[in-house]
mmCIF file of all heavy atoms in Angstrom:
data_model
loop_
_atom_site.group_PDB
_atom_site.id
_atom_site.type_symbol
_atom_site.label_atom_id
_atom_site.label_comp_id
_atom_site.label_asym_id
_atom_site.label_seq_id
_atom_site.Cartn_x
_atom_site.Cartn_y
_atom_site.Cartn_z
ATOM 1 N N ARG A 301 -102.930 44.827 -24.482
ATOM 2 C CA ARG A 301 -102.172 45.731 -23.679
ATOM 3 C C ARG A 301 -101.137 46.508 -24.481
ATOM 4 O O ARG A 301 -100.794 47.608 -24.111
ATOM 5 C CB ARG A 301 -101.469 45.035 -22.529
ATOM 6 C CG ARG A 301 -102.472 44.612 -21.498
ATOM 7 C CD ARG A 301 -101.768 44.546 -20.113
ATOM 8 N NE ARG A 301 -102.739 44.144 -19.154
ATOM 9 C CZ ARG A 301 -103.161 44.971 -18.207
ATOM 10 N NH1 ARG A 301 -102.644 46.178 -18.059
ATOM 11 N NH2 ARG A 301 -103.991 44.541 -17.281
ATOM 12 N N SER A 302 -100.635 45.915 -25.535
ATOM 13 C CA SER A 302 -99.626 46.637 -26.322
ATOM 14 C C SER A 302 -100.229 47.364 -27.481
ATOM 15 O O SER A 302 -99.457 48.037 -28.227
ATOM 16 C CB SER A 302 -98.570 45.617 -26.808
ATOM 17 O OG SER A 302 -99.171 44.701 -27.737
ATOM 18 N N ALA A 303 -101.499 47.313 -27.710
ATOM 19 C CA ALA A 303 -102.148 47.879 -28.898
ATOM 20 C C ALA A 303 -101.831 49.413 -29.143
ATOM 21 O O ALA A 303 -101.529 49.741 -30.299
ATOM 22 C CB ALA A 303 -103.593 47.627 -28.913
ATOM 23 N N LEU A 304 -101.909 50.105 -28.128
ATOM 24 C CA LEU A 304 -101.792 51.596 -28.267
ATOM 25 C C LEU A 304 -100.349 52.065 -28.125
ATOM 26 O O LEU A 304 -100.044 53.244 -28.298
ATOM 27 C CB LEU A 304 -102.655 52.324 -27.226
ATOM 28 C CG LEU A 304 -104.126 51.966 -27.345
ATOM 29 C CD1 LEU A 304 -104.875 52.692 -26.244
ATOM 30 C CD2 LEU A 304 -104.663 52.263 -28.684
ATOM 31 N N ASP A 305 -99.396 51.167 -27.919
ATOM 32 C CA ASP A 305 -97.974 51.507 -27.727
ATOM 33 C C ASP A 305 -97.143 51.337 -28.938
ATOM 34 O O ASP A 305 -95.903 51.470 -28.876
ATOM 35 C CB ASP A 305 -97.357 50.678 -26.598
ATOM 36 C CG ASP A 305 -97.995 50.940 -25.277
ATOM 37 O OD1 ASP A 305 -98.566 52.081 -25.061
ATOM 38 O OD2 ASP A 305 -98.004 50.070 -24.392
ATOM 39 N N ARG A 306 -97.801 51.052 -30.050
ATOM 40 C CA ARG A 306 -97.016 50.792 -31.306
ATOM 41 C C ARG A 306 -97.898 51.010 -32.498
ATOM 42 O O ARG A 306 -99.103 51.137 -32.426
ATOM 43 C CB ARG A 306 -96.521 49.385 -31.327
ATOM 44 C CG ARG A 306 -97.583 48.287 -31.238
ATOM 45 C CD ARG A 306 -96.922 46.917 -31.057
ATOM 46 N NE ARG A 306 -98.017 45.903 -30.820
ATOM 47 C CZ ARG A 306 -97.793 44.678 -30.852
ATOM 48 N NH1 ARG A 306 -96.585 44.211 -31.184
ATOM 49 N NH2 ARG A 306 -98.740 43.810 -30.657
ATOM 50 N N PRO A 307 -97.283 51.131 -33.656
ATOM 51 C CA PRO A 307 -98.039 51.415 -34.899
ATOM 52 C C PRO A 307 -99.024 50.295 -35.172
ATOM 53 O O PRO A 307 -98.776 49.073 -34.846
ATOM 54 C CB PRO A 307 -96.988 51.472 -35.985
ATOM 55 C CG PRO A 307 -95.723 51.764 -35.268
ATOM 56 C CD PRO A 307 -95.819 51.132 -33.919
ATOM 57 N N LEU A 308 -100.207 50.639 -35.805
ATOM 58 C CA LEU A 308 -101.202 49.662 -36.107
ATOM 59 C C LEU A 308 -100.658 48.486 -36.940
ATOM 60 O O LEU A 308 -100.964 47.324 -36.703
ATOM 61 C CB LEU A 308 -102.360 50.389 -36.789
ATOM 62 C CG LEU A 308 -103.509 49.397 -37.321
ATOM 63 C CD1 LEU A 308 -104.163 48.711 -36.157
ATOM 64 C CD2 LEU A 308 -104.527 50.218 -38.078
ATOM 65 N N ALA A 309 -99.858 48.813 -37.982
ATOM 66 C CA ALA A 309 -99.323 47.771 -38.848
ATOM 67 C C ALA A 309 -98.549 46.727 -38.053
ATOM 68 O O ALA A 309 -98.612 45.448 -38.287
ATOM 69 C CB ALA A 309 -98.524 48.352 -40.012
ATOM 70 N N GLU A 310 -97.695 47.186 -37.086
ATOM 71 C CA GLU A 310 -96.966 46.280 -36.257
ATOM 72 C C GLU A 310 -97.848 45.402 -35.396
ATOM 73 O O GLU A 310 -97.594 44.257 -35.289
ATOM 74 C CB GLU A 310 -96.013 47.144 -35.351
ATOM 75 C CG GLU A 310 -95.034 46.327 -34.625
ATOM 76 C CD GLU A 310 -94.104 47.133 -33.730
ATOM 77 O OE1 GLU A 310 -93.622 48.192 -34.252
ATOM 78 O OE2 GLU A 310 -93.911 46.789 -32.583
ATOM 79 N N GLY A 311 -98.862 46.048 -34.765
ATOM 80 C CA GLY A 311 -99.798 45.302 -33.961
ATOM 81 C C GLY A 311 -100.495 44.306 -34.778
ATOM 82 O O GLY A 311 -100.713 43.087 -34.303
ATOM 83 N N LEU A 312 -100.967 44.585 -36.051
ATOM 84 C CA LEU A 312 -101.737 43.659 -36.836
ATOM 85 C C LEU A 312 -100.788 42.450 -37.254
ATOM 86 O O LEU A 312 -101.185 41.289 -37.337
ATOM 87 C CB LEU A 312 -102.245 44.319 -38.066
ATOM 88 C CG LEU A 312 -103.454 45.339 -37.829
ATOM 89 C CD1 LEU A 312 -103.777 46.093 -39.068
ATOM 90 C CD2 LEU A 312 -104.655 44.547 -37.258
ATOM 91 N N ALA A 313 -99.524 42.743 -37.511
ATOM 92 C CA ALA A 313 -98.581 41.743 -37.933
ATOM 93 C C ALA A 313 -98.435 40.746 -36.704
ATOM 94 O O ALA A 313 -98.355 39.550 -36.877
ATOM 95 C CB ALA A 313 -97.252 42.289 -38.353
ATOM 96 N N ASP A 314 -98.245 41.329 -35.519
ATOM 97 C CA ASP A 314 -98.059 40.483 -34.303
ATOM 98 C C ASP A 314 -99.346 39.664 -34.073
ATOM 99 O O ASP A 314 -99.277 38.552 -33.622
ATOM 100 C CB ASP A 314 -97.747 41.403 -33.092
ATOM 101 C CG ASP A 314 -97.334 40.657 -31.897
ATOM 102 O OD1 ASP A 314 -97.110 39.395 -31.913
ATOM 103 O OD2 ASP A 314 -97.234 41.274 -30.782
ATOM 104 N N GLU A 315 -100.530 40.240 -34.291
ATOM 105 C CA GLU A 315 -101.732 39.551 -34.062
ATOM 106 C C GLU A 315 -101.868 38.415 -35.054
ATOM 107 O O GLU A 315 -102.204 37.242 -34.626
ATOM 108 C CB GLU A 315 -102.894 40.540 -34.323
ATOM 109 C CG GLU A 315 -104.253 39.870 -34.061
ATOM 110 C CD GLU A 315 -105.400 40.787 -34.321
ATOM 111 O OE1 GLU A 315 -105.673 41.178 -35.452
ATOM 112 O OE2 GLU A 315 -105.930 41.332 -33.273
ATOM 113 N N ARG A 316 -101.484 38.504 -36.307
ATOM 114 C CA ARG A 316 -101.517 37.477 -37.278
ATOM 115 C C ARG A 316 -100.622 36.306 -36.854
ATOM 116 O O ARG A 316 -100.908 35.112 -36.851
ATOM 117 C CB ARG A 316 -101.196 37.918 -38.697
ATOM 118 C CG ARG A 316 -102.265 38.646 -39.383
ATOM 119 C CD ARG A 316 -101.963 38.951 -40.842
ATOM 120 N NE ARG A 316 -100.713 39.724 -41.060
ATOM 121 C CZ ARG A 316 -100.605 40.961 -40.989
ATOM 122 N NH1 ARG A 316 -101.675 41.819 -40.794
ATOM 123 N NH2 ARG A 316 -99.543 41.656 -41.176
ATOM 124 N N LYS A 317 -99.402 36.594 -36.448
ATOM 125 C CA LYS A 317 -98.387 35.706 -35.956
ATOM 126 C C LYS A 317 -98.830 34.971 -34.800
ATOM 127 O O LYS A 317 -98.814 33.719 -34.679
ATOM 128 C CB LYS A 317 -97.048 36.374 -35.821
ATOM 129 C CG LYS A 317 -95.963 35.487 -35.267
ATOM 130 C CD LYS A 317 -94.642 36.198 -35.055
ATOM 131 C CE LYS A 317 -93.645 35.251 -34.459
ATOM 132 N NZ LYS A 317 -92.556 35.932 -33.802
ATOM 133 N N SER A 318 -99.387 35.696 -33.808
ATOM 134 C CA SER A 318 -99.847 35.163 -32.572
ATOM 135 C C SER A 318 -101.070 34.214 -32.836
ATOM 136 O O SER A 318 -101.223 33.131 -32.203
ATOM 137 C CB SER A 318 -100.236 36.200 -31.574
ATOM 138 O OG SER A 318 -99.086 37.040 -31.205
ATOM 139 N N PHE A 319 -101.907 34.653 -33.732
ATOM 140 C CA PHE A 319 -103.094 33.863 -34.130
ATOM 141 C C PHE A 319 -102.731 32.496 -34.708
ATOM 142 O O PHE A 319 -103.270 31.434 -34.292
ATOM 143 C CB PHE A 319 -104.049 34.601 -35.038
ATOM 144 C CG PHE A 319 -105.365 33.859 -35.260
ATOM 145 C CD1 PHE A 319 -106.359 34.011 -34.360
ATOM 146 C CD2 PHE A 319 -105.575 33.160 -36.419
ATOM 147 C CE1 PHE A 319 -107.621 33.401 -34.579
ATOM 148 C CE2 PHE A 319 -106.811 32.606 -36.567
ATOM 149 C CZ PHE A 319 -107.851 32.724 -35.773
ATOM 150 N N SER A 320 -101.703 32.562 -35.524
ATOM 151 C CA SER A 320 -101.197 31.311 -36.136
ATOM 152 C C SER A 320 -100.596 30.322 -35.019
ATOM 153 O O SER A 320 -100.813 29.184 -35.045
ATOM 154 C CB SER A 320 -100.068 31.638 -37.117
ATOM 155 O OG SER A 320 -99.489 30.458 -37.658
ATOM 156 N N THR A 321 -99.969 30.992 -34.062
ATOM 157 C CA THR A 321 -99.368 30.177 -32.955
ATOM 158 C C THR A 321 -100.492 29.603 -32.066
ATOM 159 O O THR A 321 -100.421 28.349 -31.735
ATOM 160 C CB THR A 321 -98.490 31.091 -32.086
ATOM 161 O OG1 THR A 321 -97.433 31.623 -32.890
ATOM 162 C CG2 THR A 321 -97.907 30.316 -30.939
ATOM 163 N N VAL A 322 -101.485 30.394 -31.695
ATOM 164 C CA VAL A 322 -102.473 29.853 -30.777
ATOM 165 C C VAL A 322 -103.387 28.779 -31.535
ATOM 166 O O VAL A 322 -103.898 27.864 -30.891
ATOM 167 C CB VAL A 322 -103.365 31.012 -30.217
ATOM 168 C CG1 VAL A 322 -104.487 31.431 -31.128
ATOM 169 C CG2 VAL A 322 -104.002 30.518 -28.877
ATOM 170 N N MET A 323 -103.558 28.967 -32.878
ATOM 171 C CA MET A 323 -104.349 27.977 -33.549
ATOM 172 C C MET A 323 -103.709 26.576 -33.552
ATOM 173 O O MET A 323 -104.314 25.606 -33.823
ATOM 174 C CB MET A 323 -104.504 28.410 -35.056
ATOM 175 C CG MET A 323 -105.532 29.633 -35.138
ATOM 176 S SD MET A 323 -107.099 29.216 -34.563
ATOM 177 C CE MET A 323 -107.750 28.212 -35.894
ATOM 178 N N ARG A 324 -102.438 26.462 -33.245
ATOM 179 C CA ARG A 324 -101.693 25.225 -33.169
ATOM 180 C C ARG A 324 -101.846 24.494 -31.796
ATOM 181 O O ARG A 324 -101.300 23.419 -31.586
ATOM 182 C CB ARG A 324 -100.253 25.343 -33.592
ATOM 183 C CG ARG A 324 -100.133 25.701 -35.102
ATOM 184 C CD ARG A 324 -98.638 25.576 -35.498
ATOM 185 N NE ARG A 324 -97.761 26.588 -34.954
ATOM 186 C CZ ARG A 324 -97.531 27.776 -35.404
ATOM 187 N NH1 ARG A 324 -98.042 28.165 -36.465
ATOM 188 N NH2 ARG A 324 -96.653 28.483 -34.768
ATOM 189 N N THR A 325 -102.484 25.177 -30.881
ATOM 190 C CA THR A 325 -102.590 24.616 -29.512
ATOM 191 C C THR A 325 -103.774 23.581 -29.460
ATOM 192 O O THR A 325 -104.690 23.687 -30.241
ATOM 193 C CB THR A 325 -102.802 25.761 -28.486
ATOM 194 O OG1 THR A 325 -104.112 26.352 -28.697
ATOM 195 C CG2 THR A 325 -101.813 26.831 -28.480
ATOM 196 N N ALA A 326 -103.665 22.645 -28.555
ATOM 197 C CA ALA A 326 -104.657 21.652 -28.413
ATOM 198 C C ALA A 326 -105.963 22.258 -27.966
ATOM 199 O O ALA A 326 -107.029 21.819 -28.489
ATOM 200 C CB ALA A 326 -104.220 20.685 -27.339
ATOM 201 N N SER A 327 -105.966 23.284 -27.138
ATOM 202 C CA SER A 327 -107.233 23.921 -26.676
ATOM 203 C C SER A 327 -107.960 24.537 -27.855
ATOM 204 O O SER A 327 -109.184 24.490 -27.971
ATOM 205 C CB SER A 327 -106.983 24.860 -25.571
ATOM 206 O OG SER A 327 -106.126 25.858 -25.976
ATOM 207 N N ALA A 328 -107.209 25.242 -28.774
ATOM 208 C CA ALA A 328 -107.844 25.821 -29.930
ATOM 209 C C ALA A 328 -108.427 24.786 -30.817
ATOM 210 O O ALA A 328 -109.571 24.910 -31.353
ATOM 211 C CB ALA A 328 -106.836 26.748 -30.677
ATOM 212 N N ARG A 329 -107.617 23.710 -31.093
ATOM 213 C CA ARG A 329 -108.136 22.686 -31.988
ATOM 214 C C ARG A 329 -109.461 21.976 -31.440
ATOM 215 O O ARG A 329 -110.408 21.736 -32.117
ATOM 216 C CB ARG A 329 -107.080 21.609 -32.183
ATOM 217 C CG ARG A 329 -106.004 22.085 -33.157
ATOM 218 C CD ARG A 329 -105.054 20.889 -33.613
ATOM 219 N NE ARG A 329 -104.521 20.108 -32.546
ATOM 220 C CZ ARG A 329 -103.374 20.504 -31.890
ATOM 221 N NH1 ARG A 329 -102.674 21.541 -32.295
ATOM 222 N NH2 ARG A 329 -102.896 19.730 -30.933
ATOM 223 N N GLU A 330 -109.462 21.803 -30.120
ATOM 224 C CA GLU A 330 -110.629 21.160 -29.472
ATOM 225 C C GLU A 330 -111.808 22.155 -29.541
ATOM 226 O O GLU A 330 -112.970 21.749 -29.888
ATOM 227 C CB GLU A 330 -110.362 20.844 -28.038
ATOM 228 C CG GLU A 330 -111.522 20.154 -27.377
ATOM 229 C CD GLU A 330 -111.645 20.351 -25.862
ATOM 230 O OE1 GLU A 330 -110.620 20.201 -25.190
ATOM 231 O OE2 GLU A 330 -112.733 20.799 -25.405
ATOM 232 N N GLY A 331 -111.524 23.465 -29.328
ATOM 233 C CA GLY A 331 -112.689 24.392 -29.330
ATOM 234 C C GLY A 331 -113.286 24.515 -30.741
ATOM 235 O O GLY A 331 -114.438 24.584 -30.902
ATOM 236 N N LEU A 332 -112.383 24.458 -31.713
ATOM 237 C CA LEU A 332 -112.969 24.608 -33.092
ATOM 238 C C LEU A 332 -113.597 23.224 -33.541
ATOM 239 O O LEU A 332 -114.528 23.307 -34.301
ATOM 240 C CB LEU A 332 -111.823 24.936 -34.085
ATOM 241 C CG LEU A 332 -111.310 26.369 -33.873
ATOM 242 C CD1 LEU A 332 -109.999 26.545 -34.682
ATOM 243 C CD2 LEU A 332 -112.318 27.388 -34.280
ATOM 244 N N ARG A 333 -113.012 22.185 -33.130
ATOM 245 C CA ARG A 333 -113.579 20.812 -33.472
ATOM 246 C C ARG A 333 -115.010 20.676 -32.929
ATOM 247 O O ARG A 333 -115.812 19.921 -33.490
ATOM 248 C CB ARG A 333 -112.700 19.710 -32.979
ATOM 249 C CG ARG A 333 -112.913 18.389 -33.502
ATOM 250 C CD ARG A 333 -111.882 17.320 -33.108
ATOM 251 N NE ARG A 333 -110.530 17.702 -33.483
ATOM 252 C CZ ARG A 333 -109.547 17.788 -32.551
ATOM 253 N NH1 ARG A 333 -109.757 17.461 -31.324
ATOM 254 N NH2 ARG A 333 -108.368 18.184 -32.953
ATOM 255 N N ALA A 334 -115.343 21.314 -31.849
ATOM 256 C CA ALA A 334 -116.678 21.146 -31.252
ATOM 257 C C ALA A 334 -117.745 21.669 -32.141
ATOM 258 O O ALA A 334 -118.846 21.306 -32.082
ATOM 259 C CB ALA A 334 -116.731 21.877 -29.944
ATOM 260 N N GLY A 335 -117.361 22.575 -33.090
ATOM 261 C CA GLY A 335 -118.297 23.022 -34.084
ATOM 262 C C GLY A 335 -119.509 23.711 -33.491
ATOM 263 O O GLY A 335 -120.632 23.445 -33.967
ATOM 264 N N ARG A 336 -119.375 24.537 -32.451
ATOM 265 C CA ARG A 336 -120.579 25.181 -31.905
ATOM 266 C C ARG A 336 -121.142 26.219 -32.776
ATOM 267 O O ARG A 336 -120.462 27.041 -33.369
ATOM 268 C CB ARG A 336 -120.188 25.725 -30.557
ATOM 269 C CG ARG A 336 -119.598 24.819 -29.595
ATOM 270 C CD ARG A 336 -119.210 25.496 -28.225
ATOM 271 N NE ARG A 336 -118.648 24.558 -27.277
ATOM 272 C CZ ARG A 336 -117.292 24.415 -27.164
ATOM 273 N NH1 ARG A 336 -116.481 25.117 -27.826
ATOM 274 N NH2 ARG A 336 -116.895 23.522 -26.217
ATOM 275 N N PRO A 337 -122.459 26.294 -32.856
ATOM 276 C CA PRO A 337 -123.160 27.400 -33.530
ATOM 277 C C PRO A 337 -123.030 28.717 -32.736
ATOM 278 O O PRO A 337 -122.810 28.669 -31.534
ATOM 279 C CB PRO A 337 -124.577 26.955 -33.638
ATOM 280 C CG PRO A 337 -124.831 25.949 -32.555
ATOM 281 C CD PRO A 337 -123.440 25.324 -32.308
ATOM 282 N N PRO A 338 -123.082 29.841 -33.453
ATOM 283 C CA PRO A 338 -122.943 31.133 -32.718
ATOM 284 C C PRO A 338 -123.796 31.300 -31.495
ATOM 285 O O PRO A 338 -123.343 31.845 -30.450
ATOM 286 C CB PRO A 338 -123.273 32.153 -33.719
ATOM 287 C CG PRO A 338 -122.955 31.528 -35.071
ATOM 288 C CD PRO A 338 -123.273 30.049 -34.799
ATOM 289 N N ALA A 339 -125.014 30.849 -31.530
ATOM 290 C CA ALA A 339 -125.941 30.926 -30.293
ATOM 291 C C ALA A 339 -125.400 30.193 -29.087
ATOM 292 O O ALA A 339 -125.479 30.674 -28.021
ATOM 293 C CB ALA A 339 -127.300 30.497 -30.670
ATOM 294 N N GLU A 340 -124.684 29.074 -29.362
ATOM 295 C CA GLU A 340 -124.184 28.314 -28.280
ATOM 296 C C GLU A 340 -122.879 28.979 -27.749
ATOM 297 O O GLU A 340 -122.634 28.936 -26.519
ATOM 298 C CB GLU A 340 -123.841 26.877 -28.748
ATOM 299 C CG GLU A 340 -123.412 25.960 -27.650
ATOM 300 C CD GLU A 340 -123.177 24.472 -28.130
ATOM 301 O OE1 GLU A 340 -123.920 24.039 -28.992
ATOM 302 O OE2 GLU A 340 -122.167 23.964 -27.645
ATOM 303 N N ILE A 341 -122.042 29.498 -28.670
ATOM 304 C CA ILE A 341 -120.873 30.183 -28.244
ATOM 305 C C ILE A 341 -121.177 31.366 -27.387
ATOM 306 O O ILE A 341 -120.509 31.619 -26.371
ATOM 307 C CB ILE A 341 -119.999 30.674 -29.549
ATOM 308 C CG1 ILE A 341 -119.558 29.422 -30.280
ATOM 309 C CG2 ILE A 341 -118.941 31.583 -29.102
ATOM 310 C CD1 ILE A 341 -118.933 29.780 -31.683
#
Side-chain angles (χ1 to χ4, degrees):
R301 288 211 178 245
S302 66
L304 301 178
D305 296 334
R306 58 188 174 167
L308 177 61
E310 185 181 318
L312 290 171
D314 189 10
E315 184 180 75
R316 283 189 303 275
K317 179 181 175 196
S318 297
F319 189 78
S320 176
T321 300
V322 83
M323 289 298 286
R324 291 191 296 270
T325 66
S327 58
R329 286 193 306 272
E330 184 208 311
L332 293 169
R333 194 174 303 124
R336 297 178 183 100
E340 187 180 322
I341 293 171

